[in-house]
Amino acid sequence: MSSMENQRRSILLLFSWIFMVATMAAASTTIIPVNVGVVVDLDEPSGKMYLSCIEMALSDFYAIHADYKTRLVLNTRNSNRDVVGAAAAALDLIKNVEVKAILGPVSSMQTSFVVNLGEQAYVPIISFSATSPSLTSPRSSYFFRFAQNDLNQVKAISGIVQNFGWRRVVPIYVDNMYGEGVIPFLIDALQEVDAHIPYRSLIHELATDDQIEKELYKLMTMQTRVFIVHMMPNLSSRLFAKAKKMGMMSEGFVWITTNSIGNNLRSMASVLDSMQGLLGVETYIPRTLKLRQFISRWKRKFQQDNPKIIDVKLDAFGLRAYDAAFAVAMAVEKVANAGFKFQKRNASSFNSHYGSKLSHALSIINFKGMAGDFNLVDRQLQASTFKIVNVNGYGPRTVGYWTTENGRVVKRLNSTRNRTISTSKCDLGPIIWPGESLSVPKGWEIPTNGTKLRIGVPVREGFQEFVKVTTYPSTNTVDVTGFSIDVFKAVLEILPYALPYDFVPFAMANGSTYNDLVYQVSDGKFDAVVGDLTIRANRSLYVGFTMPYTESGVVMVVPIQDKRTKSAWVFLKPLTWDLWMTTLCFFIFIGFVIWVLEHRINDDFRGSPSHQVGTSFWFSFSTMVFSQREKVVSNLARFVMIIWIFVVLIVTQSYTASLASLLTVQQLQPTVTDIDDLLRNRDNVGYMTSSFVYDLLRQKGFHESRLKDYGTMEQIDEALSKGSANGGIAAIVHETPYMKLFVAKYCSKYTMIGPIFKTDGFGFVFPKGSPLIPDVSQAILNLTEGEKIMNIEDEWIKKENNCKDPSTEKFYSSSLGLESFWGLFLIAGVASIFALLIFATSFLHKHKQVLMSSDSRASKWKRIRTMFKIFNEKELSSHTFKSSRHEARITGAPDNELNASPNNNWPESPFSYTNQTDPTSVFYGEQETPSHGQASSEIVPTFEIAAFTNQEMHATPETAQERV
């Protein structure tokens, strides 16, 4: 019994286990359906294309992931091409179907309404085709954009404009939220590359052909020929058809389209004939094997589902729809275990309990999608590459790319060339422009209606050499001439194209200023202004200036006067005081040097102290006129004198020339050299009527009562001639070109000082951002670098005879300074010191026995005194005294007369005796010195050798024999 019972229990347990396993297996294979809404325009082929891609995406996803629990159930609604229809469809899906997410709607306007519904119901709204930047807002955490933001493609468009150097473009866009949303960002991007938008062309999405034609005619009357088109393909097709009919798809025009058109070019085959030559921005999708296979499968499926629709091309938005459905399926599976239970909270809003979880799951999903890498940042698809295409023949042709990495247009992707800096127009492949032109359009043309440029010219009373307007009432015509006019005509000859124009006079009367003339351009009354207009910062806020064609700066013109000195001390004027003092010191120094070198060997430099001082000074100063009678006999003294006489020659000749100039040559110098002097002296200052110089002088500190305005050169000349004290002016302050003309006419009376203020010279005026400015500026540079501008200036700014160029006039002090002669004095000083050093070295070496005596009784002071005494004595061994004794012997004169110095008032040195004692006896007084001419009988013979005097040691054989 027990065994039977155990068997029953075992069988029961086995069946229980089998039942549990079966139950668990059944539970694991249960499919959880998840409702997802799809809102597209089913009346459009593109809407059916998007739906087909979404269906294929889910089919492919679950074929790969058959084990997933969840299955998306698509609930499709038609938006009926309407914002209200899209909102009603979304509300129905949220309220009645209880969808957990919505794919769509298609347009940006529809999406902006549906986003608010999704925010209230906590239902994620996933758009795969809404590109407007206005949708980028942190207001909703349930909005996901799986399409490229238009903010990215405006960078690509501005890169194209920059690449070709166009300065003005006109956007043509649909007049709704989609069109207007991108314009602020497009303007910013174009301004970054120095391109401006002079006009915006808005076309309503329901505009008739006549309205489109009227707008295009308006564009034809403008100069700008670069157009950026931003609208949906159906409206753009009508626009380009009208443009071709009106001749706007011909040579000289440039058309650039955004990716809303560029992505659909392949499906617009029927209208491509009207779009030949345009450039389009297209979202770049890598052509992988997987993509090519999918396109083949999609074509077959789409034709099976929609046999009546032909010529529909799969575009980038369709691929984004495929990836969007893939991403939603992945996110739903991640939160499947949390369950999806719709809960109704109140009558006005709905709540998806797990909406936040699904939103978070969508935010972190990334994978390799059909359109490329799928990666979200702040619920926005990351920017990718854009392709630049050129429409030729039967379709678009790729000519370049724009990537976020490069931030600019490049010819090839992954290029290894360094393109951080480039101004080339060859960064794209070959482009065939409208009209089958291969030349890059310059971006603007003279309007096709034949209207010429209205160029304003100022009419004023004075300074008509710049602009002179002559009116002929009989023929009602005007003749405009002048320096500025000739420069403008020469610039137009350099331009590579014709520029028809008419000069329109503008009277500078009744208080009108040049600012009023400039404002005529900003107000659109003139297309340009040519004349003597200065480039100013306040004017550049309203208009654009070309490069200046004249000199810049504000200068001061003052009278000149002859400042020849007529005082009794004019002879001191040629040299400055530092040069006078240096010369005097060197005369004294040279006299001292010559005395030192000549004193022992030249009787002319011996005698009483006063006699020696007088002789030295006389000798030195007499070299000024080379009248010195004393001879120098030493070679060192002759060496010094050679250099010193050369210095004196240069200084005296320069002094003579400068003095002659002061007394005879007319010295014209300005009465004032600094504007601050006018301010301190409270002088009257002139300026030109209606000139901005008045404001500069007021800022400088001049009182209004001291400023006087003038209109003509004759009035200025009269005021300057009177002077400030007589009711005139002390100076006239104005711009360099005017004053250069004034000084050229009155060069003998006035001179130009400065510039004292900075300005930028004269320039031509055009509307701000005009495409003519770069071309005209380049032509001005070419003109000013050649000789033609000088010829024009010589023709209109004529100078008086014998006039000097005021720009080369310099006013220096007429006195000669030490800076011109310090080199000469340096050479003389070094030579003199060098001679003194040689003499001192020779003298000390010759008498070293005095300084190096071993007698301890001799102090240093006594040794020095002895050296000075020796220096004061004649050097009888000198050739001068030898020749004197030789002559004396011939004539019979006694030796003692030769040895005596007739002019020597100093005590006779012990060394001067014929028979000398021990030189050490000199240090002990004169009592030991034997009488003159006698020999001491008490001298020990051992001292006789030491008792020889310096003269005896250097005595000739003849004198030695006489002593013996």
Side-chain angles (χ1 to χ4, degrees):
M1 291 290 294
S2 59
S3 59
M4 292 286 292
E5 198 171 319
N6 290 336
Q7 289 178 358
R8 290 177 183 175
R9 288 179 181 177
S10 300
I11 293 172
L12 182 60
L13 288 173
L14 177 62
F15 278 107
S16 299
W17 180 81
I18 294 173
F19 177 77
M20 290 177 61
V21 170
T23 303
M24 292 175 64
S28 63
T29 58
T30 300
I31 301 300
I32 303 176
V34 179
N35 287 323
V36 173
V38 178
V39 180
V40 292
D41 296 328
L42 294 178
D43 296 331
E44 292 286 341
S46 59
K48 295 180 179 180
M49 182 258 293
Y50 300 148
L51 179 59
S52 175
C53 290
I54 293 173
E55 292 173 346
M56 289 187 67
L58 296 181
S59 176
D60 293 345
F61 180 80
Y62 291 118
I64 298 172
H65 305 288
D67 57 330
Y68 280 12
K69 300 178 182 179
T70 57
R71 293 293 185 272
L72 297 189
V73 178
L74 297 179
N75 298 269
T76 306
R77 296 292 186 273
N78 189 358
S79 63
N80 297 315
R81 307 178 186 176
D82 185 50
V83 173
V84 177
L91 183 62
D92 176 63
L93 290 171
I94 294 173
K95 182 177 180 180
N96 299 323
V97 184
E98 299 183 353
V99 294
K100 306 305 180 285
I102 294 178
L103 291 169
V106 174
S107 70
S108 297
M109 291 183 62
Q110 295 172 356
T111 304
S112 65
F113 280 88
V114 174
V115 165
N116 294 328
L117 296 176
E119 178 72 16
Q120 295 177 10
Y122 300 98
V123 174
I125 306 299
I126 299 101
S127 176
F128 49 82
S129 59
T131 59
S132 175
S134 61
L135 293 174
T136 305
S137 174
R139 69 179 187 269
S140 175
S141 58
Y142 287 87
F143 172 63
F144 293 82
R145 190 209 302 268
F146 290 177
Q148 283 279 11
N149 191 336
D150 283 340
L151 183 60
N152 298 320
Q153 72 166 327
V154 297
K155 297 289 186 180
I157 294 173
S158 66
I160 297 174
V161 173
Q162 181 186 27
N163 186 75
F164 294 104
W166 297 316
R167 292 291 175 262
R168 305 182 85 182
V169 298
V170 172
I172 306 175
Y173 57 96
V174 61
D175 187 11
N176 58 23
M177 177 183 174
Y178 171 73
E180 295 175 352
V182 76
I183 294 302
F185 303 97
L186 179 62
I187 293 175
D188 292 342
L190 290 173
Q191 287 179 346
E192 290 178 2
V193 297
D194 197 25
H196 304 278
I197 296 180
Y199 177 75
R200 305 181 190 181
S201 177
L202 281 78
I203 297 179
H204 196 272
E205 57 183 336
L206 300 178
T208 63
D209 289 347
D210 291 339
Q211 291 173 331
I212 295 175
E213 187 173 346
K214 181 180 179 181
E215 184 64 24
L216 291 176
Y217 269 120
K218 186 186 296 184
L219 296 177
M220 289 183 66
T221 62
M222 301 178 184
Q223 294 183 5
T224 306
R225 290 294 181 264
V226 182
F227 306 110
I228 299 174
V229 182
H230 180 63
M231 56 185 62
M232 299 308 293
N234 54 351
L235 182 59
S236 67
S237 299
R238 298 166 54 204
L239 173 74
F240 284 111
K242 282 294 180 183
K244 182 180 180 181
K245 180 180 178 181
M246 297 171 59
M248 296 181 70
M249 298 302 296
S250 58
E251 184 175 357
F253 287 86
V254 178
W255 296 88
I256 304 173
T257 64
T258 60
N259 66 351
S260 59
I261 301 173
N263 290 342
N264 292 278
L265 285 174
R266 291 168 179 81
S267 61
M268 300 171 66
S270 60
V271 294
L272 282 183
D273 185 58
S274 302
M275 306 170 71
Q276 296 295 305
L278 68 77
L279 293 177
V281 176
E282 179 182 335
T283 303
Y284 173 69
I285 305 296
R287 301 290 291 184
T288 62
L289 176 62
K290 178 181 177 181
L291 176 60
R292 290 195 295 268
Q293 293 174 346
F294 171 75
I295 293 175
S296 299
R297 291 192 297 113
W298 174 85
K299 286 181 179 179
R300 291 193 299 269
K301 182 178 186 305
F302 188 83
Q303 289 298 320
Q304 293 174 1
D305 297 341
N306 305 278
K308 296 182 179 181
I309 301 177
I310 58 175
D311 294 332
V312 176
K313 302 293 183 181
L314 181 63
D315 59 17
F317 293 143
L319 298 178
R320 298 294 185 192
Y322 181 96
D323 290 342
F326 224 85
V328 172
M330 293 176 65
V332 167
E333 182 65 25
K334 285 187 177 183
V335 295
N337 294 331
F340 288 87
K341 183 177 181 181
F342 188 84
Q343 295 180 355
K344 184 176 180 180
R345 289 195 171 183
N346 51 57
S348 60
S349 63
F350 301 94
N351 176 36
S352 177
H353 181 66
Y354 300 104
S356 60
K357 293 184 179 180
L358 180 59
S359 177
H360 175 71
L362 282 170
S363 301
I364 61 176
I365 284 179
N366 58 82
F367 60 96
K368 189 74 172 180
M370 193 65 68
D373 293 334
F374 187 93
N375 185 26
L376 300 180
V377 175
D378 293 331
R379 302 179 304 280
Q380 305 283 326
L381 188 67
Q382 282 289 79
S384 63
T385 301
F386 287 98
K387 183 164 58 175
I388 313 300
V389 297
N390 179 216
V391 176
N392 298 125
Y394 299 101
R397 175 175 52 87
T398 302
V399 294
Y401 301 88
W402 184 91
T403 63
T404 55
E405 292 78 10
N406 292 330
R408 65 187 325 278
V409 175
V410 294
K411 186 181 297 185
R412 298 179 182 86
L413 288 177
N414 303 320
S415 175
T416 58
R417 293 180 58 189
N418 184 7
R419 295 185 177 270
T420 55
I421 299 177
S422 175
T423 58
S424 172
K425 294 183 180 181
C426 300
D427 284 347
L428 294 173
I431 297 174
I432 300 177
W433 302 95
E436 297 184 355
S437 173
L438 298 177
S439 300
V440 178
K442 61 178 179 289
W444 64 274
E445 294 286 350
I446 299 301
T448 56
N449 57 9
T451 303
K452 298 181 179 180
L453 293 179
R454 289 174 50 84
I455 299 180
V457 291
V459 180
R460 56 183 298 175
E461 182 180 357
F463 290 94
Q464 294 187 353
E465 288 81 358
F466 291 102
V467 178
K468 182 179 180 181
V469 179
T470 304
T471 304
Y472 301 98
S474 58
T475 60
N476 195 26
T477 59
V478 294
D479 182 29
V480 185
T481 58
F483 173 75
S484 298
I485 303 302
D486 285 355
V487 171
F488 178 71
K489 291 179 179 178
V491 166
L492 295 188
E493 293 177 0
I494 299 176
L495 292 178
Y497 46 83
L499 193 67
Y501 61 90
D502 284 326
F503 286 127
V504 181
F506 180 82
M508 304 291 294
N510 301 324
S512 297
T513 65
Y514 277 98
N515 288 338
D516 298 325
L517 178 56
V518 168
Y519 295 149
Q520 300 296 311
V521 177
S522 63
D523 293 340
K525 297 180 181 179
F526 289 147
D527 297 315
V529 169
V530 172
D532 48 342
L533 277 89
T534 306
I535 302 172
R536 299 286 294 167
N538 61 326
R539 296 172 181 173
S540 64
L541 297 175
Y542 307 98
V543 296
F545 284 95
T546 63
M547 295 288 293
Y549 61 88
T550 63
E551 297 178 64
S552 62
V554 174
V555 297
M556 176 174 65
V557 171
V558 298
I560 52 178
Q561 62 182 6
D562 186 7
K563 291 198 173 184
R564 283 180 290 184
T565 307
K566 299 178 178 61
S567 68
W569 303 98
V570 65
F571 66 90
L572 296 176
K573 185 70 174 177
L575 306 183
T576 58
W577 281 108
D578 56 348
L579 183 55
W580 276 117
M581 296 305 297
T582 302
T583 305
L584 176 62
C585 292
F586 260 84
F587 273 123
I588 297 173
F589 175 66
I590 294 299
F592 169 75
V593 172
I594 299 300
W595 175 79
V596 171
L597 299 176
E598 294 288 315
H599 176 66
R600 300 193 70 226
I601 61 175
N602 193 339
D603 286 336
D604 291 337
F605 292 90
R606 299 188 64 82
S608 64
S610 60
H611 174 77
Q612 295 182 54
V613 171
T615 300
S616 299
F617 285 170
W618 159 257
F619 176 82
S620 178
F621 282 94
S622 63
T623 57
M624 285 192 299
V625 292
F626 310 104
S627 62
Q628 67 276 13
R629 63 179 180 83
E630 293 80 7
K631 296 181 179 180
V632 291
V633 297
S634 74
N635 290 332
L636 290 176
R638 289 171 179 173
F639 168 71
V640 172
M641 286 304 298
I642 290 173
I643 296 177
W644 175 244
I645 289 174
F646 176 75
V647 174
V648 170
L649 176 65
I650 297 298
V651 174
T652 54
Q653 292 298 320
S654 300
Y655 173 84
T656 303
S658 181
L659 181 61
S661 175
L662 287 172
L663 297 176
T664 60
V665 178
Q666 188 181 33
Q667 298 181 27
L668 300 178
Q669 294 190 2
T671 55
V672 180
T673 58
D674 193 343
I675 192 173
D676 292 329
D677 295 337
L678 299 172
L679 195 59
R680 284 191 295 268
N681 298 334
R682 301 174 63 85
D683 290 329
N684 294 334
V685 177
Y687 67 95
M688 296 300 298
T689 304
S690 303
S691 172
F692 67 89
V693 175
Y694 173 81
D695 297 327
L696 296 178
L697 293 173
R698 293 286 289 138
Q699 295 173 8
K700 186 68 176 177
F702 285 93
H703 192 269
E704 185 178 1
S705 61
R706 296 294 178 184
L707 301 178
K708 297 186 177 183
D709 63 318
Y710 301 94
T712 64
M713 288 190 287
E714 291 73 17
Q715 294 174 351
I716 297 172
D717 176 44
E718 181 181 357
L720 286 172
S721 300
K722 288 182 179 179
S724 181
N726 299 320
I729 55 177
I732 178 75
V733 178
H734 204 46
E735 297 171 81
T736 300
Y738 295 105
M739 294 299 94
K740 191 174 181 180
L741 178 62
F742 177 76
V743 171
K745 186 174 183 180
Y746 300 100
C747 65
S748 61
K749 300 172 63 176
Y750 310 107
T751 189
M752 196 162 60
I753 307 295
I756 56 177
F757 298 109
K758 293 292 185 180
T759 59
D760 289 332
F762 293 166
F764 301 134
V765 180
F766 290 93
K768 200 171 184 66
S770 170
L772 283 171
I773 293 178
D775 293 342
V776 175
S777 295
Q778 183 63 47
I780 290 175
L781 290 176
N782 295 337
L783 179 66
T784 54
E785 291 175 357
E787 296 182 358
K788 191 168 185 178
I789 187 70
M790 302 302 298
N791 297 333
I792 297 174
E793 184 175 334
D794 292 340
E795 179 181 354
W796 290 100
I797 304 179
K798 298 178 180 178
K799 301 178 182 179
E800 291 183 352
N801 294 332
N802 301 322
C803 279
K804 297 180 180 180
D805 188 353
S807 62
T808 62
E809 293 279 341
K810 303 294 180 183
F811 304 101
Y812 299 107
S813 171
S814 58
S815 300
L816 299 174
L818 179 61
E819 63 275 2
S820 301
F821 300 96
W822 68 269
L824 289 173
F825 287 112
L826 177 64
I827 294 173
V830 171
S832 300
I833 294 173
F834 180 68
L836 287 176
L837 290 175
I838 293 177
F839 172 80
T841 302
S842 176
F843 178 76
L844 293 175
H845 177 73
K846 187 179 296 183
H847 301 287
K848 61 182 179 180
Q849 72 275 7
V850 176
L851 295 176
M852 301 175 62
S853 175
S854 60
D855 194 336
S856 61
R857 293 175 296 172
S859 65
K860 291 183 179 180
W861 172 243
K862 288 184 179 181
R863 297 169 191 264
I864 294 174
R865 284 185 59 195
T866 302
M867 293 298 293
F868 275 107
K869 287 180 180 181
I870 296 174
F871 171 75
N872 192 48
E873 295 296 330
K874 289 183 177 181
E875 186 177 348
L876 297 178
S877 62
S878 170
H879 67 281
T880 57
F881 296 128
K882 289 179 182 179
S883 60
S884 297
R885 288 196 297 271
H886 180 68
E887 292 174 359
R889 285 196 299 273
I890 295 175
T891 59
D895 289 347
N896 58 351
E897 293 181 6
L898 297 174
N899 294 337
S901 176
N903 297 323
N904 189 6
N905 295 325
W906 287 81
E908 214 171 69
S909 172
F911 297 142
S912 64
Y913 300 119
T914 304
N915 300 318
Q916 297 293 339
T917 61
D918 186 349
T920 57
S921 64
V922 177
F923 301 120
Y924 299 102
E926 302 293 334
Q927 67 275 12
E928 296 184 9
T929 306
S931 60
H932 183 70
Q934 298 177 354
S936 177
S937 59
E938 300 177 359
I939 297 177
V940 180
T942 56
F943 294 106
E944 290 181 358
I945 297 178
F948 287 128
T949 64
N950 184 56
Q951 292 89 337
E952 292 171 334
M953 286 189 290
H954 295 83
T956 61
E958 293 83 354
T959 58
Q961 187 177 1
E962 291 176 2
R963 287 194 179 95
V964 175

